[in-house]
Amino acid sequence: MTWLDDQKIPLGRWMKAFFDWIINSFPVFFERIDDGLSFLIDGTLSVLEAVPALILVAGFCGLTWVLQRQWSRVAIVGGCFLFVINQGYWDETMESLTLILYACLVCMGVGVPIGIKAAHNAKFSRALRPLLDMMQTIPTFVYLIPMIALFSIGMVPGLVATCIFVLPAPIRLTELGVSSVPVALREAALAFGATPRQVLAKVELPYAFPQIMAGLNQTIMLSLSMVVIAALVGADGLGVPVVRALGSVNIALGFESGFVIVAVAIALDRMLKVER
């Protein structure tokens, strides 16, 4: 054991040196990313906060009806958001929804194409799998350390850490959906003269749509689960009262904000969940 201790692999020092090199080599690059994302987040949040809460609730209910065509789900979504207003957490909810919105845009925009590529290329899929396993296994708090070094504190490091943690979900579910398309469907499309791009657009993506939407649902739920952790690096939203309750051992505040997070999760799930 003494020999093993003496021959410790300096993994921590290697990672520190790597991030020190990134920070020192590309400071302007990360400043531009920080400024750009901060501008988008602040602009979106300003728009959401300018709209009266009840009008937004009505909009969410209308979107639920368009997507689901079930009055029961519309009632659940409306009731959940009215509960948020009743508890006095509407502004914090808008901040968290802004973070979730951009996390979904990034993760789905990157994850779906990668998932399609993995479904069509077995070697790429095998090479990608260990990386996805590592991204999902590393404790989320570890992601916050380099994010603070790269972007300081605020919404941006919380968003970037959320995207890294959530990205494997849409990749895996998109790959699962596309790879599960029956061979007979592909062969029939090719027999009628479809190009590979047409097979993807007309056969594979429609068949895999429920799995892709499940990936979106998981992206939303995992992003929402990150709001508390993101609050530790200065991100605004529903995680702030939870962290405040933890610091002051405030049971009432903790359960109050916790139930609000549950209500938002239920509303988003009922709004966007697609069943085959």
Side-chain angles (χ1 to χ4, degrees):
M1 292 298 295
T2 302
W3 179 82
L4 287 176
D5 293 341
D6 293 339
Q7 303 300 320
K8 178 182 177 180
I9 300 174
L11 180 61
R13 291 201 301 271
W14 290 345
M15 294 303 297
K16 180 181 183 303
F18 174 69
F19 277 99
D20 286 343
W21 174 78
I22 291 178
I23 294 169
N24 294 327
S25 301
F26 309 101
V28 178
F29 174 72
F30 290 105
E31 287 178 7
R32 294 293 180 269
I33 292 178
D34 193 0
D35 293 340
L37 291 177
S38 296
F39 175 78
L40 290 174
I41 292 171
D42 293 341
T44 304
L45 185 58
S46 298
V47 172
L48 291 176
E49 291 179 340
V51 180
L54 292 178
I55 293 179
L56 269 181
V57 172
F60 290 142
C61 291
L63 178 60
T64 305
W65 171 250
V66 171
L67 295 175
Q68 305 296 341
R69 300 292 179 175
Q70 294 182 18
W71 287 112
S72 60
R73 294 196 177 191
V74 174
I76 292 173
V77 171
C80 287
F81 282 116
L82 289 176
F83 172 74
V84 171
I85 296 175
N86 173 263
Q87 295 297 303
Y89 285 86
W90 184 253
D91 290 340
E92 291 83 355
T93 299
M94 292 302 99
E95 292 164 349
S96 292
L97 287 181
T98 301
L99 187 69
I100 292 170
L101 170 63
Y102 284 104
C104 289
L105 290 176
V106 172
C107 292
M108 296 303 291
V110 175
V112 171
I114 293 177
I116 293 171
K117 174 68 174 178
H120 290 158
N121 191 318
K123 290 183 179 179
F124 178 73
S125 178
R126 287 194 296 270
L128 186 65
R129 197 170 299 127
L131 177 61
L132 297 180
D133 291 340
M134 183 183 69
M135 291 171 65
Q136 288 185 306
T137 305
I138 291 179
T140 51
F141 288 97
V142 176
Y143 291 131
L144 300 180
I145 301 170
M147 293 306 106
I148 294 174
L150 294 174
F151 301 107
S152 185
I153 61 174
M155 293 286 278
V156 174
L159 173 61
V160 176
T162 299
C163 291
I164 295 173
F165 174 69
V166 174
L167 186 58
I171 294 176
R172 290 185 186 276
L173 287 167
T174 301
E175 180 184 3
L176 176 63
V178 174
S179 61
S180 63
V181 175
V183 176
L185 286 180
R186 290 195 182 97
E187 291 179 346
L190 293 172
F192 280 99
T195 64
R197 183 171 296 181
Q198 289 173 329
V199 172
L200 175 64
K202 302 292 186 179
V203 177
E204 293 178 337
L205 289 181
Y207 188 90
F209 181 73
Q211 290 289 349
I212 295 174
M213 289 302 295
L216 175 61
N217 185 272
Q218 286 298 302
T219 299
I220 293 172
M221 295 300 107
L222 291 171
S223 299
L224 189 56
S225 72
M226 283 287 290
V227 297
V228 176
I229 297 174
L232 296 175
V233 293
D236 297 323
L238 292 170
V240 174
V242 176
V243 173
R244 190 181 303 126
L246 180 63
S248 59
V249 197
N250 189 329
I251 297 176
L253 179 61
F255 275 97
E256 185 178 273
S257 53
F259 280 123
V260 168
I261 293 174
V262 172
V264 173
I266 292 173
L268 295 177
D269 178 72
R270 297 302 185 271
M271 185 188 304
L272 298 171
K273 190 172 185 179
V274 174
E275 297 178 358
R276 187 183 289 273

